[in-house]
Amino acid sequence: MSWTEEARERTTVDEVAMALGLPIWTKAGARGFPCPEHPAPHKDGRATGRIVRNGTAFWCHKCGRGGDVVALVCLQLYGERTVRGER
């Protein structure tokens, strides 16, 4: 099993976001964090990055893209959404 498969099976987006130092926000029952590419919140205070699919993925409402825990790590640390730098 590769490290990316293990990361996807063993962690949630919440855990990874917190480990990366991204603040987790809760607004109207939805959980989110500032997307690394679009950190400013919406005018109503919602985070741009929403945690979806029971914590296994995130979605940025500003750029219309998202991913899983591996994509979040790559985006936060390297500015790319995949390990190979593919967008």
Side-chain angles (χ1 to χ4, degrees):
M1 178 180 291
S2 71
W3 72 269
T4 55
E5 291 169 330
E6 276 194 60
R8 288 179 180 115
E9 286 185 16
R10 294 183 180 198
T11 59
T12 65
V13 170
D14 296 68
E15 294 168 334
V16 170
M18 286 188 282
L20 292 169
L22 298 171
I24 302 292
W25 300 344
T26 302
K27 179 94 173 169
R31 293 177 51 76
F33 57 90
C35 173
E37 290 183 323
H38 305 101
H42 288 279
K43 291 179 183 176
D44 67 358
R46 290 180 297 134
T48 53
R50 174 92 37 107
I51 298 169
V52 296
R53 285 194 262 156
N54 295 322
T56 61
F58 74 97
W59 182 259
C60 176
H61 291 282
K62 204 153 202 164
C63 64
R65 297 188 304 183
D68 59 14
V69 295
V70 174
L72 179 57
V73 170
C74 291
L75 185 59
Q76 179 69 12
L77 297 180
Y78 307 112
E80 301 291 340
R81 290 184 180 266
T82 67
V83 176
R84 292 175 301 279
E86 298 168 354
R87 285 189 174 243

